[in-house]
Amino acid sequence: MNEDRKRILNMLAEGKITVDEAERLINAILGSDKSAESRQPGDAPSKGKPKFLRVEVDKKDEERVNIRVPLALLSSGIKLAKFIPGNARKQVDDALKDKGVDFDLNSLLKSGNFNELVSALADLEINVDNDGDRVRIHCE
C-alpha cells in the first residue's frame, strides 16, 4: 500500500474525514496514477464529465445530510419537461422572475444547452461555513 493511501485511511480512522471524502481522495490518487502515464509535462489534469450532483449539510448538534443526485436523473427530468405545455412553462418562468430568478425553461430544453449546463457543473463548488454549520454543493 502506498503512503498516500495509508495517510488517507489513517485520517478516516481518526475521524478527520468522512468515508465519502476518503473515497474521493483515493479515487483522485488512482486517477492521477493512471492519467499521469498519458499526460505530457505541463498538461493540466482533466476532471472528466461529472456524474453526480452532491449536496452535503453538516449542522451542529443535528444529523448530517448527504444527497447524491445522478445527473442522468436531471437529464431525464429535462426530457420530461418537454411535455409541459408552453403556457405552463411560461407561467413557471414568470413566477421565477417575480422571485428574482431570471430563468428560461425553454432555453434549457434545447438539446445542446443541457450538455453545456452539465459541463459547467464540472467546476461547480459552493462551500458555506458558519459557526460549525457547513453546506457544500459540488459535482463529482
Side-chain angles (χ1 to χ4, degrees), residues 39-84:
R39 280 198 316 254
Q40 298 297 320
D43 286 352
S46 65
K47 282 181 147 179
K49 188 174 179 181
K51 292 187 172 42
F52 297 95
L53 176 68
R54 171 77 56 119
V55 178
E56 299 170 279
V57 180
D58 288 320
K59 217 168 149 104
K60 222 177 353 181
D61 303 325
E62 292 187 29
E63 288 190 39
R64 180 175 185 213
V65 175
N66 188 352
I67 301 169
R68 190 174 176 201
V69 180
L71 290 176
L73 181 64
L74 296 177
S75 175
S76 297
I78 294 298
K79 289 175 186 171
L80 286 174
K82 290 179 182 179
F83 294 107
I84 298 173

Side-chain angles (χ1 to χ4, degrees), residues 63-114:
E63 288 190 39
R64 180 175 185 213
V65 175
N66 188 352
I67 301 169
R68 190 174 176 201
V69 180
L71 290 176
L73 181 64
L74 296 177
S75 175
S76 297
I78 294 298
K79 289 175 186 171
L80 286 174
K82 290 179 182 179
F83 294 107
I84 298 173
N87 60 342
R89 287 195 301 254
K90 183 172 178 355
Q91 288 177 346
V92 169
D93 291 343
D94 291 343
L96 287 170
K97 282 181 188 164
D98 289 344
K99 299 290 183 185
V101 179
D102 190 16
F103 184 77
D104 182 10
L105 186 57
N106 288 320
S107 69
L108 187 59
L109 296 176
K110 293 177 183 169
S111 62
N113 290 350
F114 181 74

